[in-house]
Amino acid sequence: MKILLIEDNTDLASGIEKYLSDEGYHCELSQTVEQALEKIQLYEYDCILLDISLPDGSGFVILEKLKQLGKQDGVIIISAKISLDDKLKGLSIGADDYLTKPFHLAELSMRIRALIRRRKFNGNNIIQQGGIHIDLAEKIVQYNGKTVEQLSPKEFELLILFISSPHRVLSKGSIAEHLAGDNADTFDNFDFVYAHVKNLKKKLKNAGCPGYIHTIYGMGYKFKVEGL
Amino acid sequence: MKLFHKTLQIYLTFSIVVFIISIPLFYFLVEKLWIEDVDDSLFFHKEKIIAGISTSGIDSLAIDNFTRVALDFDLGISVFPLNENAAEKDSVYYNKFYDETRTHIEPFRELKSVVNVDGRSYEILIRKDLVESADLIRGIAITQSILFFVLLAGLILLNNYFAKKTWRPFYHLVSRLNTFRIDKEQPIEPEKSNINEFNDLGNSVSELTKNNIRRYKAQKEFTENAAHETQTPLAVIRTQTDLFAQDKNLTKEQARIVEKMDKNITYLNKLNRNLLLLAKIDNDQFSLNEKTDVFLVLQETIDIFSEQIGLKGIQLKQNLNHHPVILSNSYLMQLLFTNLIKNAVKYNVHGGFVEIELNAGFFKIVNSGDEQPLPANAIFKRFYKQGTSETSSGLGLAIASRICELLQLKIEYNFEKPNRHCFKIILK
């Protein structure tokens, strides 16, 4: 899988590149609009991570060029701008997703997976991992053919987050933000993350699924499938 | 008291005093002049009579006849020949007689003179009618009153038309200052006046507001830029922390450090977002002309929190009976409800309650919590923090109050014993 990362901050770019490389992606880096325009005309990418504020112009130019060229590359905007207008503008010009800085790498990875799944597999709605079979459209989870008890929407999202970042430590903070967004701070601690993880684990276990979700002391959780 | 009224009051008081003094003054003056004139005229007549007697050399019979005729015709002149030679000083005095034709007492002035003409003595009495004092006073009073009312009308008219015109730049400034909002970015432009003081005042106010607006703008831009610029380094730190967390050799102690770092990155991010949001609200970057069904927005917001409410064992009582529709911005409206409901959940006790009420006139949210009321004058200030919450940016209620201000809604906080904290928003 090829990813083009258009980001002018080298520290941020290298951090993202390292994480994504570990996930098995091939990352290419552009730091300016000019470089990026050259690359998108020459190559095809499965996903383009696009920063909007670049030293030589706005990332929107690249989005427009992609549209003009009739390219089908998926685009996720990563921007420091929180403004709703920017988000709507980006999505209307053809971006697939919008992530505001600072984001968790696990969140980014999950969004990339979801994007590629939608684009590459023509909206294939099935995710499989370690015997777990998830039908995204029907919201049905099975383990080795056995249907898991109906998950709540939050538990369902949690499971997808875990499966999207196997063998990665997911901090309670990143899970909380993923589940509750801006309202993650309604609780002073992450008890609700704990509650959701506990329920999810229980439901999976009842369907005979082994304990894939591990607690990492002081940090959070890790989804680990043997032999992967 | 208005400036006009004050000046008018002073003018009026002064005019009344002058008016009151002027009536007796005029009375005595006119009377004195009148009497002097009458006396002059009496002496003039006397001289004429003496001259008449000496030149015509008439006898006493003729004089008797003359006196009788004069009495009959009420000419006020009588001349009596005296038997012995006598000489007296002239005397002038007041007298009164009953006027039969006019049936009331008339005052008059009389000259009594004893003169020697051609060796004979005569007593001459000449009198002249005087105007009655009452008539004189009435006359003066009426004239003065008319003058006074003309003066009064003049003063009021002048005050209303000319003074108002003169003071117009001043009142223009006052009204502009009253409605001046620093965040509207419109300096006060003074009206041109031909009065130097007003021009000076206008220019000073204009300069002052321009300076303030410029500083306010600079400060706002600084906040905005600072918040924006912080997002990228924050993203770098977060990425690095995430990578660090993946290290399999992390000790428990190191893991705890990473967690704390992550928590504070989240906090800093939140703080930045809230500051940016406030800057955006201050910048008027939201359109306020959306017809918003408050019920729908509220219902949506409550749904977002239903899970958190459940997890904290909080009992939620809803009393949403109306669909008030107001002109506002649905995003801001939702933000407002989010902040209030979030607070009601966050600062609640485990197993407590939240009551939400919406009707045509107001929105009200009551939650259980501390048994102490919050300081009502401080909670809406920026960076006010309740207790020692580490995840609170202290901006939630400041944003709520700022949104209310922008939407022209009134927000108030009340505490009822033992532990009911109530926030109420009056919908227009």
Side-chain angles (χ1 to χ4, degrees), chain A residues 9 11-12 15-16 18-19 80-84 100-106 154 167-169 171-174 177 180 182-183 185-188 192 195-196 217-219, chain B residues 228 231-232 234-236 238-240 242-243 245-246 248 250 252 255-256 258-259 262 265-266 269-270 273 276 280 304-305 307-308 311-312 331 338 342 345-346 389 391:
Chain A
N9 184 301
D11 286 342
L12 185 59
I16 294 172
K18 178 164 190 328
Y19 192 89
K81 290 206 171 148
I82 297 155
S83 141
L84 193 66
T100 43
K101 293 176 188 173
F103 46 78
H104 280 286
L105 289 169
K154 288 281 154 78
H167 296 242
R168 292 288 194 183
V169 176
S171 69
K172 280 179 271 184
S174 69
E177 237 175 278
D182 282 346
N183 298 317
D185 63 338
T186 314
F187 301 95
D188 277 339
F192 76 109
H196 284 306
Y217 182 81
M219 288 288 313
Chain B
H228 254 144
Q231 293 297 96
T232 305
L234 262 182
V236 174
R238 166 144 287 173
T239 312
Q240 302 300 323
D242 276 3
L243 286 173
Q246 303 306 326
K248 288 189 177 66
L250 277 192
K252 283 180 185 178
R256 218 176 282 129
V258 174
E259 196 199 4
D262 188 54
I265 294 167
T266 306
N269 178 31
K270 183 92 194 155
R273 281 164 172 255
L276 275 172
K280 277 185 80 177
I304 294 172
F305 285 96
E307 194 199 352
Q308 270 108 319
L311 278 171
K312 216 168 170 177
Y331 173 73
T338 302
K342 190 197 267 183
V345 176
K346 187 169 178 168
S389 172
T391 54

